[in-house]
Amino acid sequence: MDDCIFCKIVSGELPSHKIYEDSDILVFLDINPVNPGHTMVIPKKHYNDLLDIPTELAAKCVEVTKKVAPAVMKAADVDAFHFDINNGAGAGQIIFHTHFHIQPRSKEDGLKLWLGTPTDQDKLAKMAESIKKEL
Ligand code: AMP
Ligand code: ZN
């Protein structure tokens, strides 16, 4: 897509710190890392988000992540990482070219996850039914 930053990184029009690439996938460092070594895994072809990308290609992103993430952890000297996607503007998605984050983590890094709120069994049961109805 013409105005997509990640398409421009794929084409070489914009620079990036590349870590890995093959015919379908590009892996490069996030320009604004939550922790050192924060890495993006993207399909070279443009799709908007997780629901848009073909399942086989998403699976290939996971396969590449399993290869790259151990190297990221070693280089960043941590023993954990988040593998996540912000899917949709409401979830904080800014770049609408499907991308997966590898975010190096350790217990000592001070980052706080969002807090869950305890709820009751009735609410959980109703929500499970509502979701199952939509499947
Ligand atoms: P999000 O869409 O919320 O999942 O986040 C998009 C991510 O892309 C953010 O973490 C940005 O720091 C990152 N980002 C934006 N522009 C660039 C760029 N030119 N090179 C590398 N990462 C980028
Ligand atoms: Zn794109």
Side-chain angles (χ1 to χ4, degrees):
M1 260 184 43
D2 286 353
D3 58 349
C4 171
I5 289 176
F6 285 180
C7 282
K8 286 182 179 164
I9 286 177
V10 170
S11 70
E13 204 179 319
L14 284 177
S16 70
H17 292 278
K18 286 182 193 167
I19 288 169
Y20 169 92
E21 87 177 288
D22 61 31
S23 52
D24 298 318
I25 310 285
L26 181 65
V27 181
F28 54 95
L29 288 181
D30 193 303
I31 204 170
N32 190 26
V34 295
N35 269 337
H38 184 167
T39 297
M40 315 296 296
V41 180
I42 74 167
K44 286 187 167 173
K45 199 168 165 204
H46 184 96
Y47 296 97
N48 292 321
D49 59 25
L50 184 63
L51 300 183
D52 194 26
I53 185 174
T55 301
E56 235 175 58
L57 190 52
K60 194 157 183 212
C61 290
V62 174
E63 193 182 343
V64 167
T65 296
K66 284 166 68 72
K67 180 186 173 76
V68 167
V72 170
M73 285 193 291
K74 272 193 185 151
D77 196 22
V78 297
D79 60 3
F81 64 95
H82 291 290
F83 179 52
D84 59 281
I85 181 161
N86 300 322
N87 204 78
Q93 185 174 3
I94 298 165
I95 309 269
F96 285 82
H97 178 130
T98 313
H99 56 279
F100 298 87
H101 296 257
I102 300 172
Q103 294 164 323
R105 289 300 311 273
S106 69
K107 282 187 175 162
E108 294 78 35
D109 66 17
L111 286 182
K112 295 267 183 276
L113 293 179
W114 52 85
L115 292 174
T117 311
T119 186
D120 60 50
Q121 290 298 323
D122 267 5
K123 282 186 180 157
L124 291 173
K126 274 184 195 146
M127 181 53 76
E129 281 311 311
S130 302
I131 294 169
K132 283 193 277 184
K133 257 191 233 155
E134 299 295 337
L135 283 175

